[in-house]
Amino acid sequence: MKFDYILLDLDGTLTNPIEGISKSINYAMEKMNKPPVPEERIARHIGPPLRDGFMQNLGFTEDEAELAVELYRERYMPTGLYENVLIEGAQELLERLSAAGKTIAMATSKPEEMAVRLMEHFNLLKFFNFISGASMSADGRHSKTEIIEHALETLAISGDKLSRTVIVGDRYHDIEGAKNTGIASIAVLSGFGSREEFEEHGAGYIAENLPEACEIILSE
């Protein structure tokens, strides 16, 4: 088989979290006496680490970004996390990969604790061999490369196994993380990235949606 070890991004790949993220970012903005951010601009936050998003997309200083993350989580952890919907084909993807005997892991910039809770909420945790996410602390694991490396190390994926490993994601961070760790990438257009973004960063494959990504994975 072409791919035996499958890493899946979360936000924008398996779920659409825009409502909860938008409301929680603007909760933080209000608490900091800053103007609200329109939803179309907030979409840029989905994919990269949250602290980076506040600094790169909203011009926050490092200290401001740290405070914004704390305020964001005040609302997001009890409420915003669940203002979330599965992207079409997500459950079917997991069911087909599991039935085919694939090793399935998650590699997400969302903190691990939140990712686990969300998968429990959707009754999908049973499909995953491991969930690798970001650290809740500012000095912990945050880059997609670090998150992928953590998954690979935990699942003992190295050597020849790397050539049979792929990450499915919806932003360029997933593509760059794949390149940095020596695995393949499938970029899906059903999330928050564009074909131009994927082509610019050299995605291994570009799929219109999750069913098409599944066919790529399961092809001989």
Side-chain angles (χ1 to χ4, degrees):
M1 301 297 290
K2 184 183 294 184
F3 297 117
D4 294 316
Y5 307 96
I6 319 302
L7 306 184
L8 300 170
D9 175 49
L10 178 55
D11 289 346
T13 300
L14 296 179
T15 71
N16 184 340
I18 189 67
E19 179 183 354
I21 289 177
S22 178
K23 289 179 177 178
S24 300
I25 284 177
N26 280 318
Y27 171 87
M29 297 296 282
E30 182 178 2
K31 291 282 187 177
M32 296 175 71
N33 296 312
K34 293 181 178 291
V37 185
E39 187 172 288
E40 60 270 19
R41 191 175 178 192
I42 284 175
R44 301 176 195 168
H45 282 266
I46 300 176
L50 189 59
R51 288 177 184 82
D52 293 351
F54 278 117
M55 290 188 286
Q56 295 170 6
N57 298 329
L58 298 177
F60 282 22
T61 66
E62 191 171 334
D63 288 342
E64 286 177 326
E66 191 62 33
L67 174 58
V69 168
E70 291 178 11
L71 294 170
Y72 170 93
R73 287 176 178 163
E74 281 184 3
R75 184 189 184 280
Y76 189 78
M77 291 188 71
T79 305
L81 178 65
Y82 306 108
E83 294 169 327
N84 206 325
V85 295
L86 286 177
I87 288 177
E88 185 175 356
Q91 180 157 338
E92 293 80 1
L93 171 75
L94 291 167
E95 289 173 348
R96 289 188 66 190
L97 295 180
S98 179
K102 305 300 183 183
T103 296
I104 307 170
M106 181 179 289
T108 174
S109 294
K110 188 181 291 298
E112 275 183 26
E113 175 189 340
M114 295 185 191
V116 169
R117 285 168 54 189
L118 189 60
M119 290 299 94
E120 287 175 335
H121 172 71
F122 286 119
N123 195 29
L124 297 178
L125 188 60
K126 59 190 176 187
F127 292 109
F128 290 91
N129 296 86
F130 183 66
I131 288 184
S132 178
S135 170
M136 292 282 279
S137 64
D139 57 353
R141 183 175 58 249
H142 288 288
S143 76
K144 185 53 70 87
T145 297
E146 293 172 324
I147 290 163
I148 292 173
E149 286 175 341
H150 182 50
L152 297 177
E153 290 168 5
T154 301
L155 295 171
I157 299 171
S158 60
D160 292 343
K161 291 181 179 179
L162 291 174
S163 66
R164 307 198 309 277
T165 305
V166 65
I167 183 168
V168 182
D170 75 307
R171 296 301 309 275
Y172 73 88
H173 308 83
D174 303 299
I175 300 167
E176 293 301 316
K179 289 181 177 180
N180 291 339
T181 54
I183 65 174
S185 61
I186 301 173
V188 287
L189 292 165
S190 47
F192 294 96
S194 66
R195 184 175 293 276
E196 292 74 21
E197 176 181 331
F198 301 152
E199 290 176 347
E200 178 185 349
H201 290 274
Y205 304 85
I206 300 176
E208 290 291 333
N209 48 38
L210 290 176
E212 186 174 322
C214 190
E215 293 304 324
I216 294 170
I217 293 168
L218 297 178
S219 65
E220 292 288 346

